[in-house]
Amino acid sequence: MCGIVGYTGENQAAPILLDGLKRLEYRGYDSAGLAVRDGDALAEVVKATGKLYHLADKTDQGRSLPGNCGIGHTRWATHGDPSLINAHPHVSGNCSGSGSGKVESDVVGVHNGIIENYGELKEKLLRHGYLFYSDTDTEVVVKLVDYYYKKYKIGPVDAITRTMVRVRGSYALALMFKDHPGEIFAARKDSPLIIGTAENAAFLASDVPAILKYTRSVYYIGNLQVARLSPGSVKFYDLNGDEITLPLTEITWDAEAAEKGGYEHFMLKEIHEQPAAVRDTLGSLIKDGKIDLTAAGITDDILLSLSQIIITACGSAWHVGIAAQYVIEDMAKVPVRVELASEFRYRSLPMSKNILVIVISQSGETADSLAALRLAKEKGAETLAVVNVVGSTIAREADHVLYTLAGPEIAVATTKAYSAQLVALDALAVQMALVKGTVSAEQYSHLIEELIGIPDKITRVLEDKERLQWFSSKIANAHDIFFIGRGLDYAISLEGSLKMKEISYIHSEAYAAGELKHGTISLIEKNTLVIGVLTQSQMIEKTISNMAECKSRGAYLMGVTTNGNFAGEDSVNFTVYIPRTDEHFVSSLAVVPLQLLGYYTSVNRGLDVDKPRNLAKSVTVE
Ligand code: F6R
């Protein structure tokens, strides 16, 4: 999983490429590189390990690299270490170094994705005299293109399509050919890639924000399609090499939306954008006081016919599934299974048309979620994608798509997309309950009113952030944190714990409160922080008892609960109160203090909040 960019036009390419890569750094940040051509001159390749600023420093912010046509890459290592040699771009020539400097090669390229049969292709190329300097699958693809280009004496498009037929796996590729100055060739399968066009310029990128400063006119290139970019012109081809036409999309959201907007970190900005993300998502699903899912292709007839729901996703999106399971089962009385997408294929789950498989994904590109979607379709289930990124692979391949309207999410740790997913699934539960006759018309209207009230209540929770900032400074040196809750409170504990550990690097675990005493309680010692989520009235007392069990073993307690009489006030050391709402929807409020706690703890520990170590925003490898 990596980010790629390309530019050809009248301006100096390198600064534009660096600017685009900066906006794609969330996709990977262990090394980066550029290849730029100045007219007919050979391409010059510059690479740097570590974060993007090293590459920017090395090239004087791009100014030292002349030329109006180039490609760039920011890497998250899959094949081979995060080293200079493995950093992209890669070249087709048999060079001795890492492919840096002025390159004699006929082909130079960058790649996002994974080539599964790269070993076998490498063998073939070695037999034909190619030498390899890196451990990457990308170098293999670049050399394979070169091989076909020379062997059949064909043009770049045909050499690329021949390569596409031969490789297995996923790719977004951008290539420059020595004989074609001013042109960039791109190809895509199962990895994100968009092509932008402007007067006398053309762009490519893994994601829209990378080029939004320069153009709003974008093509979503399809699977197994090729693009040929030259200044002011873009042509598309299918796998046969025949020219095809693609629709041009005008991006309506603002580039500002992808900037920090005055906040210190994207994560904090995105936490504050949750009222809007939730309001916009609900606004697209609720019309005239009724939930309308027809834009997502989910009719009342489909809902009525369903005998089971299977939700599959990864990470935080999976946590949304766990929360939705409690809500849908309780409200609509329909059984729900929630499966980790990475485990989905190892279960022999029976599928049929009256089972709806819901795949939840912010990026719409998560490899495991995509694989689960494909398997579910293959087995004959009806599929619904709940996705944030428009035009992403999961969105395109599912039978139905419900878009969350969270806007671009840049911080690696998800916040606003999570919240938007949560309310989207809540709305589905409410509509299903109406259709299945498990709620009355009156209850239905009340539930919708409660849903509509959530954004303002999130705003109120955000107003309490200073207290959380203060508390986080006290726990910044914690070694272990346990998040506990029952029912929906357990689902929120899972997300609170992930937020804490992924950005603060403090070990944390989420437990169903009643499960703690079956082993894990032996880890509780003096000053271990135990955070209880206490919003489900039927279960609060029981969870408080579990917290008391921890306290008697030395634990320090924090509670998140709803306004009103809280029985645990005296025993809990620090309590966060959230506004009241229907208990099915309270997760949308309870998660916010836990996000803030993770955020401030990370800041207090001086960590890179938006780009935590070892992670990437979009996990396009299995
Ligand atoms: C955690 C986080 C990840 C993602 C997971 C799925 O903060 O962001 O756990 O939720 O990688 O990603 P998507 O939703 O893009 O499929």
Side-chain angles (χ1 to χ4, degrees):
M1 111 196 48
C2 309
I4 68 170
V5 287
Y7 167 78
T8 178
E10 292 173 326
N11 297 316
Q12 189 180 4
I16 295 174
L17 296 172
L18 282 172
D19 187 53
L21 288 179
K22 198 162 157 32
R23 278 157 237 282
L24 293 179
E25 232 188 334
Y26 71 89
R27 302 182 62 83
Y29 35 81
D30 60 39
S31 55
L34 299 174
V36 177
R37 289 195 73 175
D38 192 4
D40 295 345
L42 294 173
E44 178 156 6
V45 173
V46 187
K47 306 179 187 189
T49 51
K51 292 198 173 148
L52 188 65
Y53 67 84
H54 294 294
L55 181 66
D57 287 351
K58 207 167 175 177
T59 58
D60 186 21
Q61 313 305 315
R63 287 186 288 263
S64 68
L65 265 182
N68 303 350
C69 177
I71 52 180
H73 186 269
T74 180
R75 180 166 189 252
W76 189 81
T78 54
H79 287 75
D81 306 339
S83 62
L84 207 57
I85 273 197
N86 290 326
H88 301 211
H90 287 289
V91 300
S92 61
N94 289 340
C95 51
S96 53
S98 65
S100 301
K102 290 260 184 207
V103 292
E104 286 287 349
S105 303
D106 280 301
V107 189
V108 50
V110 292
H111 163 225
N112 167 35
I114 297 246
I115 303 303
E116 285 161 11
N117 57 340
Y118 83 104
E120 132 205 350
L121 295 172
K122 191 168 177 173
E123 288 296 316
K124 168 191 164 87
L125 290 164
L126 282 166
R127 284 197 301 275
H128 285 90
Y130 283 87
L131 298 176
F132 288 83
Y133 56 83
S134 79
D135 304 319
T136 65
D137 49 350
T138 306
E139 192 190 347
V140 176
V141 185
V142 171
K143 288 187 161 142
L144 191 63
V145 172
D146 181 74
Y147 169 74
Y148 288 130
Y149 185 62
K150 292 192 174 116
K151 175 169 180 190
Y152 297 108
K153 302 199 178 0
I154 46 183
V157 171
D158 291 329
I160 293 169
T161 53
R162 270 184 188 267
T163 305
M164 290 162 80
V165 171
R166 193 70 177 78
V167 299
R168 285 199 308 275
S170 59
Y171 48 83
L173 268 175
L175 302 164
M176 295 193 297
F177 289 71
K178 192 164 107 186
D179 305 336
H180 294 264
E183 287 192 302
I184 304 171
F185 296 83
R188 167 180 189 269
K189 179 175 173 279
D190 292 342
S191 289
L193 182 65
I194 52 114
I195 310 289
T197 151
E199 214 185 321
N200 297 327
F203 304 80
L204 66 83
S206 299
D207 200 355
V208 175
I211 60 168
L212 210 48
K213 201 162 138 189
Y214 309 99
T215 181
R216 294 179 164 276
S217 306
V218 162
Y219 294 100
Y220 288 94
I221 179 171
N223 260 346
L224 296 175
Q225 292 175 349
V226 178
R228 179 177 198 149
L229 287 69
S230 51
S233 149
V234 184
K235 290 184 176 155
F236 296 98
Y237 304 87
D238 64 14
L239 205 51
N240 297 319
D242 294 332
E243 197 170 333
I244 51 170
T245 321
L246 294 185
L248 190 64
T249 304
E250 278 301 306
I251 301 295
T252 49
W253 42 272
D254 213 299
E256 274 288 295
E259 304 290 338
K260 279 190 203 149
Y263 288 95
E264 200 183 335
H265 298 101
F266 280 113
M267 183 175 175
L268 189 60
K269 173 176 176 260
E270 288 160 9
I271 288 174
H272 282 83
E273 283 173 346
Q274 290 181 108
V278 167
R279 192 176 289 115
D280 291 350
T281 302
L282 287 174
S284 70
L285 302 174
I286 301 174
K287 313 237 159 65
D288 303 325
K290 292 197 170 69
I291 293 167
D292 181 358
L293 303 172
T294 49
I298 301 291
T299 60
D300 286 355
D301 285 345
I302 292 182
L303 291 178
L304 192 62
S305 71
L306 296 178
S307 61
Q308 198 195 350
I309 289 180
I310 298 174
I311 301 178
T312 185
C314 299
S316 295
W318 179 75
H319 298 160
V320 171
I322 302 280
Q325 178 179 41
Y326 287 105
V327 178
I328 298 171
E329 287 187 341
D330 189 56
M331 226 185 250
K333 314 293 178 217
V334 173
V336 180
R337 296 184 70 127
V338 188
E339 301 293 336
L340 288 165
S342 55
E343 289 291 313
F344 191 81
R345 73 183 63 174
Y346 311 123
R347 314 282 310 259
S348 296
L349 295 174
M351 302 267 175
S352 62
K353 256 298 181 211
N354 58 354
I355 293 181
L356 179 68
V357 174
I358 304 180
V359 181
I360 308 174
S361 176
Q362 187 286 128
S363 61
E365 301 292 346
T366 301
D368 287 318
S369 306
L370 179 59
L373 168 73
R374 287 179 177 162
L375 187 63
K377 281 183 76 174
E378 214 175 282
K379 288 183 155 193
E382 189 92 16
T383 55
L384 168 68
V386 177
V387 169
N388 195 44
V389 176
V390 176
S392 55
T393 309
I394 291 175
R396 286 199 280 188
E397 293 197 13
D399 298 317
H400 311 289
V401 191
L402 193 166
Y403 280 115
T404 48
L405 300 185
E409 194 177 60
I410 307 297
V412 166
T414 183
T415 51
K416 61 175 180 168
Y418 168 92
S419 289
Q421 289 161 354
L422 212 53
V423 291
L425 270 291
D426 285 342
L428 182 107
V430 174
Q431 188 62 15
M432 197 159 187
L434 179 78
V435 172
K436 293 275 187 187
T438 52
V439 295
S440 65
E442 205 177 316
Q443 286 168 318
Y444 177 74
S445 303
H446 172 71
L447 288 168
I448 290 178
E449 263 173 44
E450 290 288 272
L451 275 177
I452 291 172
I454 288 175
D456 286 344
K457 289 177 184 168
I458 295 179
T459 305
R460 277 159 55 197
V461 180
L462 288 168
E463 283 160 8
D464 198 24
K465 66 179 179 214
E466 277 80 16
R467 272 181 4 105
L468 283 151
Q469 189 170 12
W470 169 82
F471 186 67
S472 72
S473 67
K474 302 221 159 300
I475 64 161
N477 294 321
H479 288 293
D480 306 285
I481 303 180
F482 292 88
F483 292 74
I484 62 171
R486 290 168 183 254
L488 262 173
D489 288 339
Y490 168 55
I492 295 314
S493 299
L494 286 167
E495 180 59 6
S497 171
L498 181 60
K499 285 290 90 84
M500 178 59 74
K501 71 179 119 188
E502 69 180 327
I503 54 172
S504 77
Y505 314 152
I506 295 176
H507 165 250
S508 75
E509 289 191 46
Y511 265 85
E515 190 60 20
L516 207 62
K517 57 184 170 296
H518 295 287
T520 310
I521 199 162
S522 64
L523 293 173
I524 305 291
E525 48 190 32
K526 193 164 176 342
N527 290 332
T528 304
L529 177 61
V530 175
I531 301 179
V533 184
L534 305 154
T535 70
Q536 304 293 301
S537 45
Q538 299 290 314
M539 302 157 206
I540 290 182
E541 268 184 35
K542 285 201 165 104
T543 303
I544 289 179
S545 301
N546 300 131
M547 292 170 79
E549 287 156 15
C550 296
K551 191 162 189 177
S552 63
R553 285 156 182 85
Y556 192 72
L557 302 183
M558 168 178 160
V560 177
T561 191
T562 31
N563 280 332
N565 295 330
F566 174 43
E569 197 144 46
D570 293 338
S571 52
V572 173
N573 303 88
F574 178 72
T575 307
V576 177
Y577 292 95
I578 55 174
R580 288 195 166 276
T581 183
D582 183 281
E583 285 185 4
H584 293 103
F585 309 141
V586 75
S587 323
S588 291
L589 309 180
V591 75
V592 177
L594 302 183
Q595 295 168 339
L596 286 166
L597 194 68
Y599 169 77
Y600 285 121
T601 306
S602 176
V603 173
N604 277 320
R605 287 165 71 90
L607 300 173
D608 190 345
V609 179
D610 286 333
K611 297 191 201 88
R613 67 187 180 201
N614 305 339
L615 295 177
K617 182 71 181 158
S618 179
V619 186
T620 50
V621 289
E622 289 182 16

